[in-house]
Amino acid sequence: WLLKQSSRMRTVWAYKILFLDVLFPLNVERILFVDADQVIRADLADLYFTDLKDHVYGFTAFCYSRKEADGYLFWKQGYWKSFLQGLDYHISAMFLVDLSKLRTTLTADMLRGQYQMLGRDPESLSNLDQDLPNHLQHVIPIYTLPREWLWCESWCSDEDKQKAIIIDLCNNPANRSETKLESAKRIIPEWQALNDQVLRDIQQGGFEKMEL
Ligand code: CA
């Protein structure tokens, strides 16, 4: 009964956030979503077992330490600014969900209701997997994870990169022509070595069943 999405990208975004209560068996109590274009420099178990202090979600807040991005901070103006009332706007490239709590609080039902209501306006929900949990914050607060867990060049400063644990290749609103592979080589010093290692493993048959 939910509004259908016409683009495949938006359908994937919808599944990623709207159906987490029914996608997994009941004995799965927690999930960690990690975007496929991230390089992780630590043990993800530390993140997975973060104490969410009784929250349904753990997200990092959108970074705004890069001065060149000042003109693109959409949540610091207009609709989002007045809606958030000083709360952070969070990024959906990586997030933690306490599924048990998501189910008992009926959070996914609330998200689907919001999706149905806001989705009628074609101008809204341009990043629906991100907009919906942020929009529900006054009812279902988000636990803000320490910001070193997610760094991306478009929004975060070079200084913050020194402490970055996860590097995401998020889109750059000022430069849309660079491909993800070009970005990876330019931004992540260890990427080439990691890529070479994967290629060697494939040649040795280690990943023969994996479709790359
Ligand atoms: Ca990403």
Side-chain angles (χ1 to χ4, degrees):
W1 50 271
L2 290 171
L3 287 170
K4 292 230 182 330
Q5 289 296 329
S6 51
S7 87
R8 188 169 171 79
M9 171 75 91
R10 287 175 65 109
T11 304
V12 171
W13 285 346
Y15 273 96
K16 165 186 169 187
I17 202 76
L18 286 179
F19 304 111
L20 296 180
D21 54 339
V22 290
L23 271 180
F24 299 96
L26 289 175
N27 62 352
V28 178
E29 294 181 353
R30 193 175 260 226
I31 57 153
L32 173 62
F33 175 90
V34 177
D35 231 353
D37 61 353
Q38 295 178 358
V39 166
I40 295 145
R41 299 168 146 181
D43 187 347
L44 275 186
D46 292 340
L47 178 58
Y48 183 82
F49 292 112
T50 298
D51 179 4
L52 288 177
K53 310 233 185 305
D54 221 27
H55 290 70
V56 172
Y57 294 118
F59 282 73
T60 51
F62 234 95
C63 208
Y64 50 90
S65 50
R66 181 165 295 281
K67 288 284 152 277
E68 302 91 296
D70 276 356
Y72 296 98
L73 307 182
F74 60 90
W75 67 97
K76 285 188 171 288
Q77 49 197 312
Y79 176 81
W80 278 109
K81 185 178 183 217
S82 60
F83 179 83
L84 289 169
Q85 298 287 316
L87 293 173
D88 286 318
Y89 182 86
H90 298 82
I91 184 165
S92 63
M94 177 282 285
F95 58 90
L96 196 55
V97 186
D98 181 330
L99 288 183
S100 307
K101 201 160 171 67
L102 177 104
R103 293 185 185 108
T104 55
T105 51
L106 304 179
T107 297
D109 281 325
M110 286 188 254
L111 283 181
R112 290 186 285 260
Q114 294 235 335
Y115 166 83
Q116 196 68 354
M117 188 177 68
L118 297 171
R120 291 181 206 285
D121 174 1
E123 297 296 311
S124 80
L125 300 180
S126 52
N127 295 296
L128 70 91
D129 57 322
Q130 190 166 274
D131 290 342
L132 285 170
N134 276 294
H135 206 261
L136 201 59
Q137 278 194 86
H138 294 295
V139 188
I140 303 289
I142 291 174
Y143 179 77
T144 305
L145 296 165
R147 76 169 173 186
E148 56 267 27
W149 278 112
L150 195 71
W151 183 94
C152 88
E153 189 191 48
S154 315
W155 310 99
C156 313
S157 69
D158 292 333
E159 193 183 24
D160 285 348
K161 190 175 174 183
Q162 320 289 331
K163 291 168 275 171
I165 303 173
I166 298 180
I167 295 184
D168 182 271
L169 300 171
C170 58
N171 292 326
N172 186 338
N175 174 16
R176 294 185 184 277
S177 59
E178 191 176 51
T179 68
K180 297 259 180 187
L181 282 179
E182 288 163 350
S183 307
K185 287 176 190 163
R186 184 175 59 74
I187 296 169
I188 306 167
E190 68 269 39
W191 190 88
Q192 192 64 54
L194 289 170
N195 191 53
D196 293 347
Q197 175 70 50
V198 171
L199 292 177
R200 270 198 303 278
D201 288 347
I202 292 169
Q203 278 163 7
Q204 290 163 13
F207 285 94
E208 59 192 9
K209 287 184 182 155
M210 189 187 273
E211 284 180 34
L212 290 173

